[in-house]
Amino acid sequence: MSLSIKDARIFSVALKKARKKMHLTQATCAELLDLSVSFEKDLERCRCSPSIETFYHICRTLSISADDCIFPETERKTDSTYHELLRLLSLCDESSLKFLTATAAALVSERKSTST
């Protein structure tokens, strides 16, 4: 199954943005990812799509959000506070997560009731 051009473009933009954020050339990025330079360039130009294994490796190595590539149509929070919260959530135990879920649900409910 191949990606559509739109899907490939979303990933290529994310790849290029992450590479530039890390101040990497395409050659250095390809070396870091253990890919050929031509393949890395083709990914950035939407000429091909990575395998799922390569997609995973690229996302992990360059800190690309796979969610942003797979679900671009959803409004995602991208500010540092949101990402900090996600990082902290991964450190919580099940009891803490239940407490935080209830708190978040109450906050959302309160916001909805005050906006109507």
Side-chain angles (χ1 to χ4, degrees):
M1 183 172 98
S2 64
L3 294 175
S4 71
I5 295 296
K6 180 181 175 187
D7 293 333
R9 186 164 290 119
I10 290 165
F11 177 70
S12 72
V13 168
L15 172 59
K16 189 173 186 176
K17 181 179 176 183
R19 176 180 63 78
K20 287 186 173 195
K21 183 177 181 180
M22 295 176 75
H23 307 286
L24 300 172
T25 64
Q26 286 179 317
T28 307
C29 185
E31 185 177 333
L32 176 67
L33 296 170
D34 198 26
L35 303 172
S36 70
V37 176
S38 62
F39 185 64
E40 198 282 338
K41 287 181 178 183
D42 284 347
L43 287 171
E44 284 193 20
R45 293 180 182 142
C46 302
R47 292 184 178 164
C48 63
S49 300
S51 67
I52 190 68
E53 293 84 5
T54 302
F55 173 76
Y56 174 82
H57 176 65
I58 291 170
C59 288
R60 294 283 301 192
T61 304
L62 300 181
S63 298
I64 296 171
S65 168
D67 279 353
D68 289 347
C69 294
I70 297 170
F71 304 107
E73 65 282 350
T74 60
E75 288 188 37
R76 303 206 49 84
K77 306 273 190 216
T78 56
D79 63 358
S80 60
T81 304
Y82 177 81
H83 287 289
E84 177 67 7
L85 179 58
L86 288 178
R87 187 188 68 73
L88 291 170
L89 288 174
S90 69
L91 302 174
C92 292
D93 62 13
E94 189 63 28
S95 175
S96 297
L97 289 173
K98 286 179 181 177
F99 175 79
L100 291 169
T101 300
T103 303
L107 288 169
V108 169
S109 178
E110 176 67 23
R111 184 172 159 209
K112 285 182 181 176
S113 67
T114 59
S115 67
T116 54

